[in-house]
Structure formats: C-alpha cells, structure tokens
Amino acid sequence: MVRSLSAALLAVVLTALPTFAFNEPDGYKEYKWGMPSRDVRQKTLIFDDKIGEIKVSAWLRFLPVGPVMPDSKLAGATLEFASNVYPILKITFVERYGPPTVARTESLKTKGGMEVVNEILRWEGDQSIVELKRYGASILRGGAIISTREWENERGRDVMDKAKRAAGDL
C-alpha cells in the first residue's frame, strides 16, 4: 500500500515538473549572449525597438559591468515600455518563456498619494533570468530585464560595492 502510494506520488511529481520548465533565452533577439560589443550591429547601446507592435526602449548590457569596451560580452537587455501595454507583454512573455517561476505583487504609492499594485513576474533558469514588472520607475512606465545569471550576479556585486563606498561619505 505504502509502495503504491509512493509510486503514485512520484508519478505526479514527475509529470508536474515540465510545467515549471523555463524556456531560457540565449540572447535578446538577434544578439546572442557572449557576443563581443564590437560585433553588435546596433551601435547605440540604447535604442527604440518593438516587441510585436509594442514600442519599447532597449538597453544592451555587457560584462564586465562598467564602461563598454570592444571585447565586452553581451549579457543582457533592459526594456522599458508604457505600463498600459503590460497585459499584452505579460501574455507575450508567458508564451515565449513559459509560466513564470516566481510571481509576486508589491504595493506602491505615488508621490501624489495614489496606491497601485505592481505585479512582478520572474523566470529563473540555470543560465538566464527574465523579470517583467508592470511598473518601473513610475506608474507610467513598466520594465523588463532579460539577462544571464552572471550579469545579474555581477550587477548585484557592483551595486553593493558602490553602496559601501558611498557609506564612507556619510
């Protein structure tokens, strides 16, 4: 009896695993992770782009974090868009990457006192991370980051280093 229950539970778990799979990106559009900055056709690192019919502003991100040199390697893209198109991008991202591995909300209050709920969807894989937010720097603009795990880790270290240096100015 216990053996058959264990086997049944194992079968349920194994069939459920594919639903948590994340279709990891290997770059942003035609730009592949690891591509040297000198080979990037887009010569401005900030440019207007489209996802379907939706206009976005895109920033390419390189490693190492800091000034981009000819041998810097492409490791991510940051996108900004009008927050009113978030529902369409949410469907688009789920279609492309699968169900998010993490979904959460956070309450925000604008300078004018308006309260909103920000939805944040995140896909975490072995090599890549994708994050989509309804609201970014303001309630008028949403954002997304599509990057390698390495870029996110290095960016986190860079932020902590800057914070430690700034603390010395207090």
Side-chain angles (χ1 to χ4, degrees), residues 6 15 31 36 54 61 78 102 149 166 168:
S6 297
T15 28
Y31 306 112
I54 298 171
R61 304 299 187 176
T78 302
V102 177
R149 188 171 282 284

Side-chain angles (χ1 to χ4, degrees), residues 136-148:
S138 79
I139 62 168
L140 300 176
R141 306 295 294 168
I145 295 175
I146 303 166
S147 71
T148 63

Side-chain angles (χ1 to χ4, degrees), residues 107-121:
S107 297
L108 301 175
K109 193 173 198 176
T110 68
K111 291 177 184 175
M114 183 175 152
E115 293 185 20
V116 297
V117 175
N118 193 11
E119 182 176 42
I120 301 164
L121 303 178

